[in-house]
Amino acid sequence: MAQILAPSTQWQMRITRNSVSSSPMTTKMWSSLLLKQNKKWSSKSSAKFQVFAVKSENGTINRMEDLLNLDLTPFTDKIIAEYIWIGGSGIDLRSKSRTIPKPVEHPSELPKWNYDGSSTGQAPGEDSEVILYPQAIFKDPFRGGNNILVICDTYTPAGEPIPTNKRHRAAEIFSNKKVVDEVTWYGIEQEYTLLQTNVKWPLGWPVGGYPGPQGPYYCSAGADKSFGRDISDAHYKACLYAGINVSGTNGEVMPGQWEYQVGPSVGIEAGDHIWCSRYILERITEQAGVVLSLDPKPIEGDWNGAGCHTNYSTKSMREDGGFEVIKKAILNLSLRHKEHISAYGEGNERRLTGKHETASINTFSWGVANRGCSIRVGRETEQKGKGYLEDRRPASNMDPYIVTALLAETTILWEPTLEAEALAAQKLALNV
């Protein structure tokens, strides 16, 4: 991420009520994404619909497409809310739909719901009920209209957060007065890899073979270098439509790999936006017949892995003299390196090798404009004496609730002993 700008004003995850004329995103790629504004149905039209799987010359299913694209707003105040939650693996996303009587503007207006936790690896069969608490809402780019996507966290019937609910602990950290006063900003760079469905091999690669070596693919254009641009572009537009604070996208170093950036986001909002953007990406790749992978090292060998670099700053870092605050934060991060690594994603040891723009997983390092370090400080931050830092350690499959909260905890709430601080400062050549 090139720089951190002012965050959006959407801190409380509110969305305004859409007008009847609002329409979802459009794309030319898949029929189920062709959410163009349809002709208005007459209120006197027959309520009988004949649905036929009649394929036109271009392969779309016309009648099914018409029904998928129906705009309900002229006929009912009811909306569809897609409740989304994190499953038992801690990385898989689950969702189900329910009808809500009227449009809503805040998650507090939505009812709690439940699901069978024994089917997601989150509860035993004899006591399987898990309760969904709505926490953030976004416009639904697939259904359009006043329909919404709802990010939820998960609790027992007694109101206790279940083990995979990492949002609850993050919300506690972000509600701490010291953290609130520092107005933590995050810019998260989510990398991902697109795989061919049947063979689980990167998109654009010859099956069982390899393309030419890395070099021509990063931010490239051309049918022989860029694979999956339509998916990236559709996702970009869908996120903007939904109200996600996506700030950019680009092709990555390994062919078939892409990145998008979310932020700047404040506090808990960063995790909500990343999880919703991942859900939208899963839905788009589902419709495209492509597999989404967040594996931090999908292909072994001389190929870049996939990370989730996290740009971070506090109010004190962004003010005059902030570089000294940044150096103190780096010192704290060095002393808790093992704690952070253990929370930064499964399989990260295959990525953090000291090669391919990474630092070794076993050694903490920092540097200015150095992409081979654990923590990178931008040249502009050094020159201005204030700004932000980039934590390059998180893997692409990291939980953004864990990573963002841990950064705030380590740099704002946690205090090392004076002896440990002095030794670390000497080792890192930090004059704090």
Side-chain angles (χ1 to χ4, degrees), residues 51-361:
V51 183
F52 299 103
V54 180
K55 290 191 176 183
S56 65
E57 290 182 1
N58 63 6
T60 59
I61 303 176
N62 294 330
R63 290 295 188 186
M64 186 68 75
E65 179 185 325
D66 287 343
L67 291 174
L68 286 170
N69 297 340
L70 272 178
D71 181 7
L72 303 179
T73 50
F75 310 105
T76 180
D77 288 334
K78 294 178 180 179
I79 67 167
I80 301 172
E82 191 74 21
Y83 279 50
I84 302 164
W85 69 95
I86 300 163
S89 71
I91 191 64
D92 61 310
L93 284 161
R94 310 294 180 113
S95 74
K96 61 177 184 172
S97 313
R98 74 177 293 169
T99 302
I100 304 298
K102 62 180 182 179
V104 299
E105 297 181 0
H106 194 272
S108 62
E109 300 175 61
L110 292 167
K112 296 175 184 176
W113 206 7
N114 66 75
Y115 67 93
D116 172 16
S118 68
S119 296
T120 61
Q122 293 171 295
E126 64 273 14
D127 187 15
S128 64
E129 193 168 283
V130 179
I131 311 301
L132 295 168
Y133 287 32
Q135 299 291 359
I137 56 178
F138 299 86
K139 292 187 291 183
D140 187 338
F142 304 103
R143 294 187 173 111
N146 291 324
N147 302 301
I148 55 176
L149 305 177
V150 185
I151 295 296
C152 304
D153 58 356
T154 45
Y155 296 81
T156 68
E160 295 295 323
I162 67 172
T164 52
N165 180 357
K166 307 304 182 184
R167 190 187 192 279
H168 179 80
R169 173 57 182 158
E172 289 180 338
I173 291 173
F174 286 121
S175 63
N176 184 289
K177 187 178 184 306
K178 288 184 178 179
V179 178
V180 171
D181 290 345
E182 283 291 349
V183 194
T184 53
W185 289 5
Y186 299 91
I188 299 177
E189 306 171 28
Q190 176 68 70
E191 295 178 343
Y192 61 93
T193 308
L194 299 174
L195 305 178
Q196 301 169 53
T197 306
N198 296 326
V199 294
K200 301 295 178 66
W201 200 239
L203 196 66
W205 291 35
V207 177
Y210 296 86
Q214 294 182 153
Y217 309 109
Y218 173 69
C219 295
S220 65
D224 59 339
K225 295 181 286 293
S226 179
F227 313 115
R229 185 184 300 279
D230 283 348
I231 292 173
S232 174
D233 282 354
H235 178 250
Y236 196 171
K237 290 183 178 180
C239 285
L240 289 173
Y241 177 93
I244 292 169
N245 193 21
V246 61
S247 53
T249 185
N250 59 268
E252 266 303 331
V253 176
M254 191 185 86
Q257 194 175 87
W258 292 82
E259 175 190 300
Y260 63 93
Q261 302 91 34
V262 172
S265 305
V266 178
I268 197 72
E269 176 187 290
D272 291 335
H273 280 227
I274 284 290
W275 276 116
C276 191
S277 71
R278 286 177 175 177
Y279 175 80
I280 291 172
L281 186 56
E282 286 278 16
R283 289 281 302 275
I284 289 174
T285 53
E286 169 192 323
Q287 292 166 357
V290 174
V291 175
L292 169 65
S293 172
L294 296 182
D295 190 303
K297 187 69 173 179
I299 303 295
E300 296 298 327
D302 194 17
W303 303 98
N304 275 32
C308 208
H309 304 154
T310 302
N311 300 274
Y312 169 69
S313 73
T314 64
K315 184 172 180 286
S316 299
M317 293 178 187
R318 298 187 294 269
E319 294 176 341
D320 290 342
F323 194 29
E324 293 304 311
V325 182
I326 290 172
K327 290 195 289 185
K328 174 63 166 65
I330 291 171
L331 190 150
N332 281 18
L333 290 168
S334 74
L335 291 170
R336 300 190 81 192
H337 179 61
K338 289 183 178 180
E339 289 87 341
H340 281 253
I341 287 296
S342 67
Y344 274 13
E346 293 294 326
N348 211 12
E349 71 283 352
R350 293 182 284 114
R351 168 180 162 263
L352 295 180
T353 61
K355 301 177 180 179
H356 305 110
E357 301 181 84
T358 70
S360 168
I361 195 170

